[in-house]
Amino acid sequence: MDPEVHLPSVPLRQRTQTTEEFNRIPTHVFPAHSVRDEDGAVSIEGVKLTDVAERFGTPAFVLNEVDFRGRCRRLAQAFGGGERVHYASKAFISKTACRWVAEEGLSLDVASEGELRVALAADFPTERITVHGNNKSRAFLTLAVQSGVELIVIDSLQEIAELSQVATELGREQDVLVRVTPGVHVDTHEFIATSHEDQKFGFSLASGAARLAALACVGATGLVFRGLHCHVGSQVFDAAGFVLAAERLLTMWAGLLQELPSEDGKRLNILDLGGGYGIAYMPDQQALDVEHVAANLLEKVAEAAYKVGVPRPIVNVEPGRAIAGPSMVTIYRVGTVKDVETSDRTVRRYISVDGGMSDNIRPALYQAEYDVRIANRELKGELVPSRIVGSHCESGDILINDAPVPDDVRSGDLLVIAATGAYCYSMSSRYNMMMRPPVVTLNEGEAQVMIRRETIDDVLALEA
């Protein structure tokens, strides 16, 4: 336990100001078809969260299949075809989720051998899989090439040599992209900004390393250089960063065409602009307008290609959070409720729940903010400054740092946190031997388990 945790002194965003507002469900933050019923309980897709808690226990992730699939279709339509939209499986992956993505016609990104094996277990079409990673093992590269994945994104000179040897030994030709850091700085958290120069991913555009990597791929046996990749960051709301990155990569592209043999130049036709589309975590946020961004991005890419004199490329994108994030909520059972006098003599209420940083590390890691409601009833009390905390032996085990919550919340209430579909289950742990929650899917008024709750027997079975 670390008693010296200091929370960041940043301005808190505006939250609900009245109890009536607290009871109201912000539908643009929650999954589609989320309502508060006449009896005060919250339902999603016709299923009461109280029934889910009673049947499957808490904490539990609750995923609206209809919402998840709808977001897949919306992105596919916006970008002119699902095969160009690669769902970033690191946000949330399971065999069932892979099947949904495949059935909606999207492609898939994987960033580890484990994610690739889940996709293969789900019989995902390998010709629609792109492989990422800054430290791919030989076993991972071999499995990828053997499986017939569409693209492998090159992240180092060492990887070029390794992958060339693997492809040659297997008698295959593997299509590759080169990951470029274009030096585009976006307004997001330091740990999820990925296109600045001083970080672990890709090759620097400014230094010329990206150009040299591209030429090395062209000269490597068994590799087919198909294009360039970049990722400007995560939880990005301004489309300008994507456009600027595209313009910089296409300028590099034009230069490469002057150096490449004609046949190699003809194969160069894919521009992957990554993902990072922002979603609404809080009622005062609005998600990035997918249709507007897609139309603007495709138009600007076409203009930039024309300006530098290269053929208009195929544009790939990699949304993960934008699909999985808003489709899921986490439900908890309230335990201890206690008031604590702070250093300025005010009182803060601490509301403890039966999960915490093991099922949502993002608040501790990124100071991420979430919306909270009570799901089993409407509250009537006065709003009081409250902190939602988990059950772990850590001072930093805080799910929501500061929120006004009615003072009649009590032990046994069902608390729901919205927009937890991305990077919560996938980054979950067994800290303090608290087991990973189940993932329960909702569709047509029915609830069923996608991933069962982890048990202590599962853990003990791992011991030799």
Side-chain angles (χ1 to χ4, degrees), residues 80-127:
E83 71 279 0
R84 304 277 55 102
V85 179
H86 290 63
Y87 171 65
S89 65
K90 64 176 185 172
F92 173 76
I93 188 171
S94 70
K95 290 196 298 182
T96 301
C98 286
R99 293 188 188 112
W100 292 350
V101 171
E103 289 165 4
E104 297 301 335
L106 271 63
S107 297
L108 190 73
D109 279 346
V110 298
S112 71
E113 182 179 344
E115 288 177 356
L116 177 56
R117 289 191 178 278
V118 172
L120 296 176
D123 294 322
F124 196 95
T126 55
E127 68 276 10

Side-chain angles (χ1 to χ4, degrees), residues 62-230:
V62 183
L63 173 60
N64 185 344
E65 178 183 347
V66 174
D67 191 57
F68 186 101
R69 287 180 178 270
R71 293 176 188 276
C72 288
R73 289 193 293 272
R74 182 182 174 191
L75 281 156
Q77 184 175 6
F79 283 97
E83 71 279 0
R84 304 277 55 102
V85 179
H86 290 63
Y87 171 65
S89 65
K90 64 176 185 172
F92 173 76
I93 188 171
S94 70
K95 290 196 298 182
T96 301
C98 286
R99 293 188 188 112
W100 292 350
V101 171
E103 289 165 4
E104 297 301 335
L106 271 63
S107 297
L108 190 73
D109 279 346
V110 298
S112 71
E113 182 179 344
E115 288 177 356
L116 177 56
R117 289 191 178 278
V118 172
L120 296 176
D123 294 322
F124 196 95
T126 55
E127 68 276 10
R128 299 199 328 246
I129 294 178
T130 293
V131 172
H132 287 275
N134 68 299
N135 186 34
K136 306 179 191 72
S137 68
R138 187 180 183 89
F140 184 16
L141 292 173
T142 300
L143 178 63
V145 175
Q146 284 178 331
S147 302
V149 300
E150 178 189 9
L151 295 162
I152 295 178
V153 180
I154 298 294
D155 205 87
S156 69
L157 293 176
Q158 178 181 326
E159 184 181 344
I160 295 173
E162 187 87 15
L163 181 58
S164 174
Q165 186 175 23
V166 168
T168 301
E169 290 175 356
L170 293 174
R172 304 282 185 89
E173 283 198 332
Q174 178 61 54
D175 288 359
V176 300
L177 304 178
V178 167
R179 179 158 182 170
V180 181
T181 52
V184 176
H185 292 262
V186 293
D187 184 18
T188 189
H189 192 282
E190 174 190 358
F191 293 169
I192 53 179
T194 53
S195 74
H196 55 279
E197 303 289 343
D198 188 11
Q199 48 96 23
K200 72 176 187 176
F201 292 110
F203 300 89
S204 165
L205 177 64
S207 71
R211 169 184 164 274
L212 294 177
L215 295 175
C217 287
V218 172
T221 305
L223 305 189
V224 179
F225 176 52
R226 294 294 307 281
L228 304 175
H229 172 281
C230 74

